[in-house]
Amino acid sequence: MEYLLKKGLFGEQSVTKVVGLYSNQSDAQAAAARARALPGMAPGQVRLLGPQDAKVSHRNFFGRSLEPEQRGIFKTIFRAHAVTGVAGGVLGLLLFLWLYRSGQPMIASSPLLAFIAIVGFAITFGLLLGGLIALRPDHVQLITSVRSALASGRWALVLHPTDADQTQAAKDLLTATSAETLSTL
């Protein structure tokens, strides 16, 4: 399932974000050093943010730290809409065929209009679902929480795991360091 989601809908390598919030710099730096030593974790997957990064002059750095795969985001937007739009069209076609074969009077009386309406609405709902997936509301909440923590003087260790094993290892590491742990879906 993870493979289908990652290769089908998302264009990013790191779909999940895991964040540990710390009250002081030394704990955050120690956790970052241990995170870099996790199996398969590349240096670019570990980002340490401090209170200075919440300032206006550092906003570009803040955004790139939490969402480093800008090109992947555009791939996600395109893929999510394409896959869900096509899936909506196929489901709409199947619904139309089922209704037509069952002899529904409204469908049988004007099959072309029924086909256009059913398949058109199904594609529309598929595209709306693609938009919801592309918006990533789970990321918005995480970014807001990290920004608030940084503004209040805390430190954030942002990890970008690329698979389920790295995600679990990252969560275990942050839990062991007594950090407040946040993650996306």
Side-chain angles (χ1 to χ4, degrees), residues 78-99:
F78 178 76
R79 284 183 184 177
H81 282 87
V83 168
T84 57
V86 169
V90 169
L91 290 174
L93 178 63
L94 292 174
L95 176 62
F96 169 77
L97 290 174
W98 179 71
L99 291 171

Side-chain angles (χ1 to χ4, degrees), residues 104-178:
Q104 293 293 324
M106 290 179 64
I107 306 298
S109 67
S110 56
L112 181 61
L113 289 176
F115 173 81
I116 291 170
I118 292 171
V119 174
F121 277 115
I123 290 172
T124 301
F125 289 130
L127 291 172
L128 287 171
L129 179 62
L132 180 63
I133 291 169
L135 280 176
R136 306 292 298 271
D138 57 329
H139 284 217
V140 173
Q141 179 176 5
L142 180 113
I143 290 168
T144 303
S145 298
V146 170
R147 183 168 291 170
S148 296
L150 294 177
S152 67
R154 299 175 73 191
W155 288 77
L157 175 59
V158 182
L159 304 173
H160 303 278
T162 56
D163 59 27
D165 294 332
Q166 275 190 352
T167 301
Q168 191 57 50
K171 287 180 179 180
D172 292 344
L173 175 109
L174 295 176
T175 303
T177 63
S178 301

Side-chain angles (χ1 to χ4, degrees), residues 1-10 79 83:
M1 181 67 173
E2 177 184 350
Y3 178 80
L4 289 175
L5 283 175
K6 196 171 196 183
K7 296 299 179 190
L9 290 178
F10 298 104
R79 284 183 184 177
V83 168

